[in-house]
Amino acid sequence: MTLGGWITFLFSTVSFTSLFAWCLYKVLTTPRADESALHGTFDIDDDD
Amino acid sequence: MNAESWSSRIGVILAVSGSAVGLGNFLKFPGQVALYGGAAFMIAYVISFFALGLPISIIEFTVGRHGGANGYNSPSGILGFFCKSKKMAYFGVLGSLLTLMIFCYYVYIESWCLGYAYNFAVGTLKLDSVEASSAFFADFIGADSDGSAFGLGLDKVLVFLIFSFFLNFWMIYRGVSRGIEFFCKYAMPTLVLLAIVIVIRMMTVSGLSPDHPERTINQGLGFMWNPVKVVLQENVGNAQNPKWVDARRLVGESDMSEAKKIVAEAPTISGSPSMRIHSISVFRQLQNPSIWIAAAGQVFFSLTVGFGCIMTYASYLRRKDDIVLSSITSCSANEFCEVCLGGMITVPAAVALFGVSGVLGAGLSLFDLGFKVLPLFFLSMPLGEFFGFLFFFLLFLAAVTSSLSMLQPSMAFIEEATGLKRRFSTSLLCLITFFISGFVAYFSKDLKAMDTFDFWMGQVAVYIFAMVLVTAFSWYFGVERGMKLANYGSIIKLPHWFGFLARYITPTVLLLVFVVWIGQDILGVIGDGKLSPYIRDLVGGEDSPPNKVAWKSVAIMVMVGAFYSLIVLRSGRYSDLKSLKRRK
């Protein structure tokens, strides 16, 4: 593999791994919506 | 009001990621990167990811959660409610139909993976050449003649097909949380772990071809990722009007020195060389429209966006669940599996055993690489049967998590439209799919039935469904209102430019790819001028009559579509959608 190949390979893999790791971190550290809001119409006016 | 819901946020993310991560990640993506060149393909791929894949995923999540919050879970109900139109409920039938049809052949491929995993585990695979491997594959899946897949015994696919089929239905019967989420919660981490183990083993493999020391994992990685494509070309024209055609790809020092020798020894044509070594830059490669179609297609199909699966899954979210973060996370999980894991296994392994020319000769298609070349690679390495079992079991898990997502839109549709209890709706769906999957597996000669379903439902219908979905969101419902819905409950707010992207760029790119695909690969207006074989199967060619299996396959699709449309017509669930339309 050439130097250009290594750069392409590392840039691609590191970028997507970082994005995935950051997303996982945010998902695991952010609390989920409260139980009372299971379903039902939105508080915002979605039809206007 | 619907009682079903995901039990955790990570559960829905794993389920959506599972829906996206499939055979294409591990078998098709590496072949595409290798074929079109590393950096050039990745540039087109990343642009397609942000312009096409991610926006459509966010749109599907938004539309789905909105429908679910108002009691609709099927593509018909979700789209009908979103556009306040019964016509869109009819159109939504396409989402349930195409996913069901894809399931019917996908479960067949799924059973191949399970069959290979079993045969590796018990050590019955004894293959020593590509020919032997191809023969085993054809015999196992019944590609030689119709009905030959239906033999009993563990050297035939039927037993594995039945097991895979009922595993899917067992999970679907258990429901969204206790079935799909439960399975994906275990399957996805297991899948990633297995892939990491295989990648580590792959990277430490050496000396598979003692007679060809140049064939290494490093050469395979170079074949995939080197940005500048170097090819040996032959002049098939004359000295005045040279016409250079590619003779072979060159990767590594050994290939280069051999090619230089060939060029030096090649005869001349009127004093001009008949062979040359030619480098194709990244910029030049990007001028080829095929690379953009391939990259956009890979992103689109790999993420399973625009199928109707994500919107169905999203309809079981809570109304304040963060859909922007969930969408980005599931898309990035798919990319991680595709680029970081899938991209490091298949092609490097194949090149290490057969060399670049051997791999190109055997083919870079999904089935060629996965079921003909890779088994030989595993069998040629120490503990190969164990690692072969791990790899095909990994593929099986990836396939099941995808096929579950293909069943759920129809399941939701039947439950929602008919009001049938879970037991009856599962039985009805099981009956329909049992016959269609049986049809696909029976008409296995040249995989004609499967290919026909894949073309009309897995490609044409998906493009149409995705285009209408994006248009409905951006132009009918309105980007501003859509973004307001998406941002509701999200910790990451969609930036303003997302509106521009969703309104102009995404539909344009989607339309462009569809039109070029139709022009180039279907009608042959662009390129070689040949009509697609799938069209020729229906209309017949100069020396061949229309194919009966292809026609029967199309008839099945039409019949199931008509049955679903009849359900919408008779169902009371979609009757009042029009009255919800806001008064102007």
Side-chain angles (χ1 to χ4, degrees):
Chain A
M1 185 147 68
T2 62
L3 179 64
W6 277 109
I7 291 170
T8 309
F9 170 65
L10 289 174
F11 186 76
S12 303
T13 50
V14 170
S15 305
F16 281 119
T17 307
S18 306
L19 177 65
F20 179 48
W22 179 81
C23 287
L24 263 188
Y25 170 77
K26 293 298 273 185
V27 167
L28 295 173
T29 55
T30 311
R32 202 187 181 195
D34 57 325
E35 289 288 329
S36 61
L38 271 174
H39 290 291
T41 50
F42 287 82
D43 296 340
I44 57 170
D45 180 6
D46 64 340
D47 203 14
D48 193 22
Chain B
M1 202 57 63
N2 180 22
E4 284 215 275
S5 175
W6 301 103
S7 69
S8 66
R9 190 158 58 175
I10 196 73
V12 63
I13 287 167
L14 288 173
V16 176
S17 312
S19 157
V21 175
L23 303 182
N25 295 61
F26 293 93
L27 301 180
K28 193 175 177 192
F29 171 78
Q32 298 268 296
V33 182
L35 193 64
Y36 290 104
F41 185 83
M42 286 312 292
I43 289 169
Y45 182 85
V46 170
I47 290 172
S48 302
F49 176 74
F50 286 106
L52 204 65
L54 197 53
I56 302 178
S57 174
I58 292 173
I59 288 171
E60 265 209 78
F61 260 100
T62 308
V63 174
R65 186 186 63 171
H66 185 53
N70 292 282
Y72 292 100
N73 299 104
S74 74
S76 286
I78 293 167
L79 282 178
F81 182 79
F82 194 71
C83 298
K84 309 286 189 288
S85 153
K86 192 168 181 179
K87 283 179 190 158
M88 283 306 281
Y90 280 109
F91 179 76
V93 160
L94 187 62
S96 303
L97 176 71
L98 73 90
T99 45
L100 188 77
M101 293 297 132
I102 293 173
F103 169 83
C104 290
Y105 66 78
Y106 205 80
V107 72
Y108 178 45
I109 305 172
E110 196 171 298
S111 63
W112 304 352
C113 302
L114 184 63
Y116 267 68
Y118 170 82
N119 279 287
F120 265 112
V122 298
T124 50
L125 271 183
K126 305 287 179 207
L127 309 169
D128 53 5
S129 65
V130 176
E131 290 72 30
S133 187
S134 301
F136 175 83
F137 177 64
D139 186 52
F140 182 70
I141 68 167
D144 291 332
S145 61
D146 289 337
S148 57
F150 276 22
L152 285 174
L154 295 167
D155 58 340
K156 293 281 180 188
V157 76
L158 185 64
V159 176
F160 303 101
L161 176 62
I162 292 170
F163 178 84
S164 307
F165 186 85
F166 285 106
L167 173 68
N168 276 279
F169 270 94
W170 182 41
M171 288 300 143
I172 285 293
Y173 174 70
R174 283 170 61 92
V176 169
S177 177
R178 290 175 57 238
I180 299 171
E181 185 176 351
F182 170 80
F183 187 84
C184 292
K185 254 183 174 174
Y186 290 98
M188 286 305 288
T190 308
L191 182 156
V192 171
L193 195 69
L194 291 181
I196 290 171
V197 169
I198 292 168
V199 166
I200 292 170
R201 181 68 191 99
M202 294 269 314
M203 292 300 132
T204 52
V205 161
S206 62
L208 288 179
S209 306
D211 299 338
H212 298 276
E214 78 282 4
R215 293 177 186 176
T216 59
I217 293 290
N218 190 43
Q219 191 193 26
L221 288 170
F223 177 49
M224 276 187 75
W225 296 102
N226 282 352
V228 177
K229 244 181 171 177
V230 184
V231 286
L232 179 67
Q233 291 186 324
E234 185 182 1
N235 184 5
V236 294
N238 52 44
Q240 284 72 38
N241 296 306
K243 193 179 175 189
W244 295 99
V245 294
D246 293 352
R248 57 181 270 211
R249 279 273 296 275
L250 305 173
V251 183
E253 288 299 316
S254 167
D255 270 12
M256 284 300 288
S257 53
E258 192 186 329
K260 280 176 187 166
K261 208 171 153 190
I262 292 171
V263 171
E265 290 171 359
T268 55
I269 305 171
S270 308
S272 300
S274 62
M275 302 287 284
R276 70 173 184 181
I277 294 172
H278 183 61
S279 298
I280 308 169
S281 69
V282 172
F283 183 69
R284 188 76 190 275
Q285 290 173 55
L286 284 171
Q287 290 172 11
N288 176 7
S290 297
I291 198 172
W292 291 94
I293 296 176
Q298 179 62 28
V299 166
F300 184 64
F301 290 111
S302 169
L303 287 173
T304 327
V305 289
F307 283 57
C309 303
I310 295 179
M311 71 165 70
T312 303
Y313 274 5
S315 72
Y316 299 104
L317 284 168
R318 297 172 186 175
R319 66 193 174 106
K320 279 188 179 173
D321 270 340
D322 186 336
I323 52 175
V324 177
L325 180 60
S326 299
S327 179
I328 299 172
T329 308
S330 44
C331 285
S332 64
N334 179 67
E335 297 313 310
F336 172 74
C337 289
E338 183 153 289
V339 178
C340 306
L341 301 176
M344 290 168 77
I345 298 176
T346 324
V347 168
V351 171
L353 188 62
F354 295 108
V356 172
S357 305
V359 171
L360 286 171
L364 281 170
S365 78
L366 190 142
F367 297 152
D368 288 337
L369 269 180
F371 296 96
K372 296 175 186 172
V373 176
L374 273 183
L376 292 169
F377 168 79
F378 287 117
L379 288 173
S380 65
M381 65 192 255
L383 290 175
E385 287 177 333
F386 173 68
F387 285 101
F389 161 73
L390 290 188
F391 180 74
F392 283 99
F393 188 64
L394 174 164
L395 290 186
F396 174 69
L397 290 180
V400 175
T401 55
S402 299
S403 61
L404 285 173
S405 73
M406 300 291 172
L407 270 182
Q408 190 57 29
S410 277
M411 188 70 190
F413 172 67
I414 291 173
E415 283 188 323
E416 176 184 286
T418 63
L420 284 174
K421 297 273 183 210
R422 171 67 53 84
R423 180 174 301 185
F424 296 110
S425 50
T426 310
S427 305
L428 177 63
L429 197 59
C430 187
L431 194 70
I432 297 170
T433 48
F434 186 78
F435 282 109
I436 303 175
S437 296
F439 173 86
V440 171
Y442 182 82
F443 289 104
S444 55
K445 186 170 186 293
D446 301 328
L447 301 175
K448 184 57 75 184
M450 188 178 92
D451 281 350
T452 308
F453 277 106
D454 180 49
F455 175 74
W456 290 107
M457 290 286 119
Q459 296 179 52
V460 177
V462 168
Y463 269 123
I464 293 170
F465 189 77
M467 276 195 290
V468 173
L469 170 70
V470 172
T471 309
F473 179 90
S474 303
W475 291 89
Y476 184 83
F477 190 80
V479 164
E480 297 297 323
R481 291 164 63 202
M483 284 175 65
K484 212 159 98 178
L485 274 185
N487 285 333
Y488 187 70
S490 299
I491 54 162
I492 305 170
K493 304 294 179 197
L494 289 175
H496 285 294
W497 52 262
F498 179 84
F500 180 79
L501 192 70
R503 195 175 172 85
Y504 299 106
I505 306 295
T506 307
T508 308
V509 172
L510 202 53
L511 187 66
L512 207 64
V513 171
F514 186 59
V515 169
V516 174
W517 178 68
I518 294 271
Q520 187 170 287
D521 294 350
I522 310 302
L523 302 176
V525 182
I526 313 167
D528 59 7
K530 284 183 185 166
L531 203 61
S532 161
Y534 302 103
I535 306 289
R536 282 207 306 272
D537 279 343
L538 298 182
V539 299
E542 286 172 7
D543 51 355
S544 59
N547 188 291
K548 285 181 184 173
V549 175
W551 268 108
K552 283 175 190 166
S553 306
V554 171
I556 287 173
M557 293 177 231
V558 171
M559 279 194 293
V560 179
F563 176 59
Y564 276 11
S565 300
L566 194 66
I567 292 178
V568 174
L569 179 72
R570 305 285 297 175
S571 171
R573 282 303 307 274
Y574 314 114
S575 304
D576 55 349
L577 288 171
K578 205 173 177 182
S579 64
L580 296 171
K581 208 171 212 169
R582 74 190 156 115
R583 294 183 190 90
K584 300 210 173 180

